[in-house]
Amino acid sequence: MPNYQILMQAGEIDFVNTLKSALHAQELYDELKVRCHPDRFPADAEKNRIATEIFQKIVESRNNYKSLLELKVRAEQELEIKFKK
């Protein structure tokens, strides 16, 4: 049995995230990297620190739609960024 079939049986493949990542991750990534860039928060040291952390995770999660959505929520809460719905 191929490895992917074993993973499918074990429930370790998230097909919804895989599909959304292929179709929508780049658009969300582009928006997040602009809106959450640390240079947008030069006057507030704490927000700059948070933005730096979030930005690094955005880059690491470039092709993972689910992770990017979680980072978007975090940016809304911690950096008080308003995204279009």
Side-chain angles (χ1 to χ4, degrees), residues 6-63:
I6 294 169
L7 292 173
M8 285 175 30
Q9 289 176 349
E12 294 182 28
I13 296 178
D14 185 349
F15 284 108
V16 173
N17 185 47
T18 301
L19 182 60
K20 286 185 177 184
S21 293
L23 298 174
H24 305 292
Q26 184 64 45
E27 183 180 335
L28 181 55
Y29 169 78
D30 289 341
E31 180 180 19
L32 289 174
K33 73 178 184 180
V34 170
R35 302 287 308 274
C36 299
H37 197 281
D39 288 349
R40 294 179 60 97
F41 305 94
D44 188 332
E46 181 61 17
K47 282 190 178 180
N48 186 280
R49 183 193 64 74
I50 294 168
T52 299
E53 182 181 323
I54 291 173
F55 187 80
Q56 289 172 346
K57 290 182 180 184
I58 289 168
V59 172
E60 292 170 3
S61 302
R62 178 182 189 137
N63 296 312

